[in-house]
Amino acid sequence: MTVTYSSQVANARLGSFSRLLLCWRGSIYKLLYGEFLIFLICYYIIRFIYRMALTDDQQVIFEKLTLYCDSYIQLIPISFVLGFYVTLVVTRWWNQYENLPWPDRLMNLVSCFVEGKDEQGRLLRRTLMRYANLGNVLILRSVSAAVYKRFPSPQHLVKAGFMTPSEHKHLQKLSLPHNSFWMPWVWFANLSTKAWIGGRIRDPVLLQSLLNEMNTLRTQCGQLYAYDWISIPLVYTQVVTVAVYSFFLACLVGRQFLNPAKAYPGHEMDLVVPLFTFLQFFFYAGWLKVAEQLINPFGEDDDDFETNWIVDRSLQVSLLAVDEMHQDLPPMERDMYWNEPEPHPPYTAASAQSRRPSFFGSTFNISLDKEDLEFQPDPEEEESAHTGIAGRFRGLQSHDRQPPRTNSKTKLLWPKTEVLSHEGQPKNLGRDGQDTSDQEDVKAWKGEDAFKSAVLYGRSGYHSAPQTPLSHTPMVFPPGQSAPSSLRKVSGMDDTVKDQSLQPPTPRSKKSFELLPESAGASTEHPEVSHMRRKTVEFNLTDMSEAPEHLREPHLGQSTSNIHTILKDRGDPYWALENNRSVLYPHQGH
């Protein structure tokens, strides 16, 4: 039974192919049979004259002419010219098909958005779709000869039901020396807005969606109008036509079979039927005929668009969708696959052979050996780890591996003195000619863990935070008030430190105020900051004459050298900050 079914399918396919190959309506045979018969008759007439009517001397002259035409016929770029022309025509033809105005999307929106099952709602929906169909008919009537013959005047549109007599009078009143296919779309937009104002369309968003779809159809009608107005330049069409016909005119002489007895090169055989010349004519001339047929798809040829059928179908479907199908829904029921997670629709006997398993990808069935499934260590990571340990104890480093890259992240890990040395000084070379900056890069990369494990105030970049008072703008607190709470938190002091005194240094120099508790037992330090005794907040008091009088008392005019000595002796971490500032700003002394 399977063999019988397969043979039936094969016979059906062969029959459909033979019908397609031998089809006459709209076929290449119907387009080419006239030109091919003329070419065939002319070829054999020239052959008869060459063999029967010419003398020996005249045959020699004809043979020289044949060799000349055959050698120079290839100079005509027929393949390039004809191929480019046909590509342009086919692209234009398909674009015109894509711009045919189908009202299906618009009728769905009208049926959904325009509410009301009463007479007014029904009239509103049907009028909107009639305006859309009228716009389509007007543009198709302008570009298609078949539609124009069906509706040669606006009165025919009134009799056909696309337009009412009052609408016809309105068009005549607004008559312009231009095509009026755009007027029904204006009516559509105004009527849609009126329906929204009257409450038939609930939301302006729905109105916007409806107008967007209407504008899409209006754009397609404009595209058809533009394609009908701007055609392929006539000069290009003439060049292609002349090239094809001149090529085959030269073939009538150049493709003649000469007398084999004279031993002309390429003429060892004497054939009666030039098969490949006829095939070449069939392909090239057929290519040209296809382009001539597709250049205007709105005609009355066999392969042109069925524009009259489009008009009928659009009107019938659109009115049905907005009238009888409006809010007319079938009852909801459970489908037959309600409790099945993987539904499998059945196949008939005729379609059983087309059943295929799901496609997972071209690599799904690849099998690997067990040893190929094991992950392998990265040799570069092992080499880098070995080089780092050996270099730490031996002071050596591999010369054949590339140094790590320097970026903003590694520079952030450098001390500030090294940043200045990298940016402002030339690179230092070691004893073996190796760049010492490579070793510093390795140290910087290894210092990332130290950066993460360090306390917050000890991390690089912490003192450039916005809340840290590193600005040189004078910061003077009013008498009798302590430093702000945010400043106390930045300096690492506990919230229990209450009344603090300011000890300003001598004027006209870069000074620092030392925040000291009034008594040793006045506060209790927090365990996390037990190692910190005193903190320094910097100010730039350029002119102490501008400071308040209570800050210019004689007992406050002591130098900051003693304070710095105390900080340095106690191992305060902020002393390193002062050193870094001295490197970054050498022109500002302490």
Side-chain angles (χ1 to χ4, degrees):
M1 180 177 180
T2 304
V3 178
T4 304
Y5 171 73
S6 301
S7 60
Q8 291 178 356
V9 171
N11 294 332
R13 291 179 179 177
L14 181 60
S16 61
F17 177 75
S18 61
R19 288 193 300 270
L20 181 64
L21 185 63
L22 302 177
C23 181
W24 177 258
R25 183 179 182 274
S27 64
I28 191 64
Y29 314 115
K30 184 179 179 180
L31 298 176
L32 276 182
Y33 78 96
E35 285 85 351
F36 184 75
L37 287 178
I38 295 174
F39 181 79
L40 190 66
I41 293 172
C42 292
Y43 180 85
Y44 284 106
I45 289 176
I46 294 175
R47 178 183 176 86
F48 177 80
I49 294 174
Y50 165 64
R51 295 297 178 95
M52 303 298 179
L54 297 181
T55 62
D56 294 340
D57 296 337
Q58 292 174 346
Q59 287 183 356
V60 172
I61 296 175
F62 180 82
E63 291 166 356
K64 292 181 180 180
L65 180 62
T66 300
L67 295 176
Y68 174 80
C69 292
D70 188 43
S71 60
Y72 286 96
I73 196 175
Q74 304 300 329
L75 298 179
I76 301 177
I78 184 173
S79 299
F80 172 76
V81 174
L82 188 57
F84 186 78
Y85 179 73
V86 172
T87 302
L88 178 63
V89 170
V90 171
T91 303
R92 175 188 172 89
W93 169 78
W94 185 251
N95 289 337
Q96 292 182 73
Y97 170 76
E98 289 185 335
N99 283 286
L100 287 174
W102 299 95
D104 295 59
R105 295 177 55 181
L106 183 63
M107 71 184 185
N108 292 335
L109 297 182
V110 170
S111 179
C112 178
F113 294 162
V114 183
E115 300 178 354
K117 301 193 68 174
D118 55 346
E119 190 70 20
Q120 183 65 24
R122 181 186 178 190
L123 176 63
L124 183 59
R125 289 189 298 272
R126 290 182 66 93
T127 304
L128 287 174
M129 292 313 303
R130 189 167 53 80
Y131 287 162
N133 283 278
L134 177 60
N136 295 342
V137 172
L138 289 178
I139 191 60
L140 292 177
R141 178 176 171 269
S142 303
V143 301
S144 175
V147 178
Y148 183 82
K149 290 181 179 180
R150 184 178 180 181
F151 308 108
S153 66
Q155 289 79 9
H156 290 82
L157 293 176
V158 174
K159 294 179 180 179
F162 288 95
M163 185 167 48
T164 61
S166 60
E167 293 169 354
H168 181 218
K169 293 179 181 179
H170 204 71
L171 280 178
Q172 289 181 341
K173 182 180 64 175
L174 300 175
S175 61
L176 294 173
H178 305 291
N179 197 317
S180 59
F181 73 92
W182 50 271
M183 289 186 179
W185 300 110
V186 179
W187 296 345
F188 185 98
N190 292 331
L191 187 57
S192 300
T193 306
K194 185 177 179 181
W196 172 66
I197 295 174
R200 296 290 179 172
I201 300 177
R202 293 189 178 184
D203 195 89
V205 178
L206 304 181
L207 175 64
Q208 182 66 33
S209 302
L210 186 63
L211 294 181
N212 287 339
E213 187 60 35
M214 183 272 296
N215 287 327
T216 300
L217 287 178
R218 167 63 182 84
T219 302
Q220 292 177 342
C221 294
Q223 290 289 339
L224 294 181
Y225 181 77
Y227 276 117
D228 185 68
W229 177 31
I230 306 297
S231 183
I232 296 178
L234 180 62
V235 177
Y236 192 25
T237 304
Q238 291 175 345
V239 168
V240 175
T241 304
V242 171
V244 172
Y245 283 105
S246 61
F247 177 84
F248 288 106
L249 183 62
C251 287
L252 291 176
V253 179
R255 298 296 174 84
Q256 293 287 338
F257 287 97
L258 303 181
N259 190 359
K262 297 183 179 180
Y264 289 108
H267 293 271
E268 291 81 7
M269 298 178 62
D270 187 12
L271 298 179
V272 178
V273 179
L275 179 61
F276 291 98
T277 301
F278 290 164
L279 289 177
Q280 196 173 23
F281 179 86
F282 183 81
F283 295 147
Y284 283 168
W287 214 0
L288 179 63
K289 289 296 181 180
V290 168
E292 291 176 355
Q293 292 294 314
L294 297 181
I295 198 172
N296 180 25
F298 292 101
E300 297 179 290
D301 297 328
D302 295 335
D303 290 333
D304 289 338
F305 298 152
E306 298 289 344
T307 52
N308 282 319
W309 174 84
I310 294 176
V311 170
D312 296 338
R313 185 260 178 194
S314 298
L315 181 64
Q316 296 169 4
V317 171
S318 60
L319 294 181
L320 177 65
V322 301
D323 190 3
E324 297 180 7
M325 293 185 64
H326 176 69
Q327 299 298 332
D328 184 15
L329 301 175
M332 292 189 299
E333 298 178 359
R334 292 187 178 185
D335 57 86
M336 61 182 301
Y337 305 107
W338 182 262
N339 295 322
E340 295 184 15
E342 296 182 3
H344 296 283
Y347 286 82
T348 61
S351 63
Q353 293 183 349
S354 61
R355 187 172 185 174
R356 297 290 184 272
S358 179
F359 178 72
F360 291 94
S362 57
T363 63
F364 180 73
N365 295 324
I366 295 179
S367 60
L368 299 176
D369 297 335
K370 185 176 181 181
E371 58 272 9
D372 294 337
L373 300 176
E374 300 292 336
F375 285 110
Q376 300 296 323
D378 191 357
E380 294 183 358
E381 294 181 358
E382 294 180 353
E383 181 182 357
S384 62
H386 176 73
T387 304
I389 296 174
R392 181 178 298 178
F393 291 98
R394 301 177 185 175
L396 301 176
Q397 190 174 2
S398 177
H399 295 275
D400 55 352
R401 65 184 292 269
Q402 296 293 332
R405 295 183 178 179
T406 302
N407 52 21
S408 59
K409 186 175 181 180
T410 59
K411 288 184 179 180
L412 184 62
L413 301 175
W414 290 348
K416 294 185 178 180
T417 56
E418 296 185 8
V419 173
L420 293 178
S421 64
H422 279 272
E423 294 180 355
Q425 299 179 3
K427 295 183 179 180
N428 298 325
L429 298 178
R431 180 167 30 181
D432 298 334
Q434 182 182 359
D435 191 354
T436 58
S437 62
D438 297 341
Q439 299 179 0
E440 295 175 356
D441 291 339
V442 176
K443 293 179 181 179
W445 279 108
K446 293 183 178 179
E448 185 176 358
D449 295 334
F451 174 79
K452 295 180 178 179
S453 61
V455 294
L456 181 61
Y457 61 83
R459 294 183 182 181
S460 178
Y462 170 78
H463 301 289
S464 62
Q467 67 270 19
T468 307
L470 297 182
S471 174
H472 296 285
T473 306
M475 296 179 58
V476 179
F477 299 106
Q481 295 184 7
S482 61
S485 60
S486 61
L487 184 58
R488 291 199 301 269
K489 292 179 181 179
V490 171
S491 60
M493 300 180 62
D494 190 76
D495 293 338
T496 60
V497 179
K498 298 181 179 178
D499 191 8
Q500 297 174 341
S501 61
L502 297 174
Q503 298 181 0
T506 58
R508 305 188 63 82
S509 62
K510 187 176 181 181
K511 306 303 180 181
S512 63
F513 288 96
E514 185 176 3
L515 303 179
L516 300 175
E518 292 183 355
S519 62
S523 62
T524 304
E525 294 179 345
H526 196 276
E528 294 181 357
V529 293
S530 60
H531 64 283
M532 301 174 61
R533 300 303 182 201
R534 289 171 183 154
K535 303 302 173 186
T536 301
V537 180
E538 284 192 2
F539 302 93
N540 184 15
L541 303 180
T542 58
D543 191 358
M544 287 299 296
S545 60
E546 299 177 0
E549 293 181 0
H550 69 280
L551 294 178
R552 290 188 278 112
E553 297 179 3
H555 68 278
L556 296 179
Q558 61 181 359
S559 175
T560 60
S561 60
N562 296 332
I563 300 175
H564 291 171
T565 304
I566 293 173
L567 294 175
K568 186 175 180 180
D569 294 339
R570 290 178 177 271
D572 198 290
Y574 277 79
W575 180 252
L577 176 62
E578 296 290 327
N579 291 334
N580 291 336
R581 292 197 186 109
S582 64
V583 175
L584 292 172
Y585 306 98
H587 61 282
Q588 298 179 1
H590 289 281

